[in-house]
Amino acid sequence: MKIAFFTAKSYDKYYFNQQLAKTQHEITYFEDALNAETAILTRGFDAVCVFVNNMVDRETIGLIADYGVKVIALRSAGVNNIDLQAADGAGLQVFRVPAYSPEAVAEHTAALILTLNRKTHKAYNRVRENNFSLEGLTGFNIHGKTVGVIGTGKIGAAFCRIMKGMGCSINAYDPYQNEEVINMGGKYMELDELLSNSNIISLHCPLIPETKHIINREAIEKMNDSPMLINTSRGALINTGDVIDGLKEKKIGSLGIDVYEQEEHIFFQDLSEQVIQDDEIARLMAFPNVLITGHQAFLTKEALNEIAKTTLNNLSAYEAGEEVGNQVRP
Ligand code: NAD
């Protein structure tokens, strides 16, 4: 198949080119994101391959369908950036990579927690300037703390395994209970109970209408003991304005995020010479107890390899007329 690959980065090209040799597909890499303005680039292609920072809306879908595209191949698990109804209406099939490496995301979540807690990012900078003072670097023992996990699917369960290994108790909230989490001693409860009884709260549910702003002013009001809040799932699970207020009021003890609601205008690019126009992320960066990474939780060799393999397998199966297990329907 002829594949138009959008927002191509060096690491994407490296891992996709390795897998491409094993297939008959042809890829043309574009640095741009796919949107209504760039849709013209898809003329003559069978498939588009996009990542989470491509907002594939109804207008874009109408255009690419007119240019002959049949398939949207997501190289991500989350599908919230695609208008699935519009794709279905235009006769386009949508494929995703449901589980390329839950451990990659779970381990980054743990990295955020440990860094934020033990302030190794600050210690690193201090020591480089011959400042060996320990003032302000006090953390807390993770061992013995209660971690509230919202969404206990593949990533949530992998995260529970890590935190269990560190000696934590697990509070869980998910409409569907995961046997594995129960077997490791995780206690399922209502969201309110989890919010008021957890020292660390970590989000691992998908972004869907029911979970949008699941962490808002009301939820923050229910938190006790100023928990650490972590989001490596999707930015809009958090109402950023409410979380900023929660941090100012010390209802939230600290915040670690790998995702941000308006990230498509900021993340995955070097803006170091530019004035950031987004006041909310600028405010977040000004807090001493906030740690932000730019959507890199997935970024391991193993995950990138798996993403490339599964994306191309999805397209091969489609081309061969087989049922594609990773098809996403509205
Ligand atoms: P999954 O489908 O295995 O698990 C999601 C879980 O959320 C399921 O158990 C589901 O029942 C639960 N859920 C659904 N609605 C819920 C609700 N209202 N409240 C609480 N839980 C609810 O998915 P996964 O592979 O574990 O991935 C989870 C999310 O992680 C993805 O949707 C994606 O947004 C995010 N993600 C982030 C990165 C990153 O690099 N930061 C990478 C991959 C995935």
Side-chain angles (χ1 to χ4, degrees):
M1 290 181 84
K2 290 186 75 180
I3 307 163
F5 192 109
F6 286 87
T7 51
K9 303 288 180 193
S10 63
Y11 46 82
D12 293 317
K13 291 183 198 169
Y14 179 81
Y15 287 95
F16 269 84
N17 285 343
Q18 281 195 341
Q19 295 297 329
L20 198 59
K22 302 172 194 163
T23 74
Q24 302 294 318
H25 303 305
E26 275 173 49
I27 296 184
T28 302
Y29 294 105
F30 297 108
E31 284 182 17
D32 290 315
L34 175 61
N35 53 41
E37 275 168 31
T38 58
I40 182 88
L41 294 170
T42 68
R43 194 191 289 271
F45 286 92
D46 307 303
V48 294
C49 184
V50 295
F51 193 51
V52 294
N53 53 338
N54 288 219
M55 293 299 143
V56 187
D57 57 14
R58 182 170 288 277
E59 186 187 359
T60 308
I61 285 168
L63 289 166
I64 65 173
D66 286 349
Y67 293 133
V69 170
K70 302 274 178 299
V71 176
I72 300 173
L74 277 157
R75 42 185 201 276
S76 64
V79 297
N80 54 285
N81 53 319
I82 310 290
D83 187 330
L84 294 175
Q85 296 285 358
D88 195 45
L92 263 68
Q93 299 207 16
V94 180
F95 307 140
R96 68 173 185 139
V97 184
Y100 41 87
S101 177
E103 287 76 20
V105 182
E107 288 170 15
H108 188 77
T109 309
L112 283 179
I113 292 172
L114 288 170
T115 307
L116 197 49
N117 177 31
R118 302 305 296 267
K119 305 173 178 65
T120 41
H121 54 315
K122 295 187 184 190
Y124 171 80
N125 283 327
R126 278 191 196 182
V127 167
R128 280 164 63 92
E129 294 194 357
N130 297 341
N131 176 358
F132 299 96
S133 162
L134 301 184
E135 291 299 330
L137 297 185
T138 309
F140 58 83
N141 279 14
I142 301 279
H143 184 93
K145 294 296 182 293
T146 300
V147 184
V149 184
I150 301 178
T152 53
K154 290 176 287 293
I155 295 171
F159 174 66
C160 289
R161 289 195 290 274
I162 295 173
M163 300 318 286
K164 198 74 201 153
M166 292 182 76
C168 294
S169 308
I170 309 289
N171 287 341
Y173 171 70
D174 192 311
Y176 301 95
Q177 301 196 356
N178 183 337
E179 277 295 295
E180 189 197 347
V181 173
I182 295 172
N183 290 340
M184 68 175 96
K187 279 193 277 174
Y188 278 91
M189 56 188 66
E190 289 305 314
L191 181 60
D192 289 1
E193 196 184 345
L194 179 149
L195 293 170
S196 50
N197 291 298
S198 303
N199 305 111
I200 298 168
I201 296 171
S202 194
L203 297 165
H204 299 288
C205 54
L207 175 62
I208 49 177
E210 300 82 59
T211 58
K212 185 168 183 200
H213 293 173
I214 193 167
I215 302 298
N216 56 14
R217 171 160 291 282
E218 244 190 324
I220 295 165
E221 283 302 322
K222 295 184 179 119
M223 295 177 185
N224 288 322
D225 302 328
S226 303
M228 175 188 280
L229 176 65
I230 304 287
N231 186 11
T232 57
S233 193
R234 284 292 178 268
L237 296 178
I238 281 181
N239 180 322
T240 310
D242 291 353
V243 165
I244 288 172
D245 291 342
L247 284 160
K248 283 159 82 176
E249 292 157 16
K250 300 197 169 63
K251 284 290 291 176
I252 297 172
S254 56
L255 174 73
I257 53 172
D258 184 52
V259 286
Y260 174 63
E261 190 164 1
Q262 309 300 336
E263 70 179 49
E264 72 269 19
H265 307 298
I266 303 169
F267 285 6
F268 306 109
Q269 42 189 332
D270 179 0
L271 302 180
S272 54
E273 298 299 318
Q274 295 188 28
V275 174
I276 297 282
Q277 298 296 329
D278 186 313
D279 289 347
E280 286 195 326
I281 199 151
R283 180 68 185 96
L284 282 177
M285 288 191 288
F287 284 101
N289 52 347
V290 172
L291 180 61
I292 304 173
T293 52
H295 208 136
Q296 69 172 82
F298 71 100
L299 199 67
T300 66
K301 293 176 188 173
E302 291 80 1
L304 288 167
N305 198 41
E306 202 50 46
I307 288 170
K309 209 161 83 185
T310 308
T311 305
L312 294 174
N313 284 347
N314 287 343
L315 292 169
S316 299
Y318 168 81
E319 199 175 26
E322 294 165 11
E323 175 86 5
V324 182
N326 296 328
Q327 185 172 355
V328 190
R329 293 184 173 83

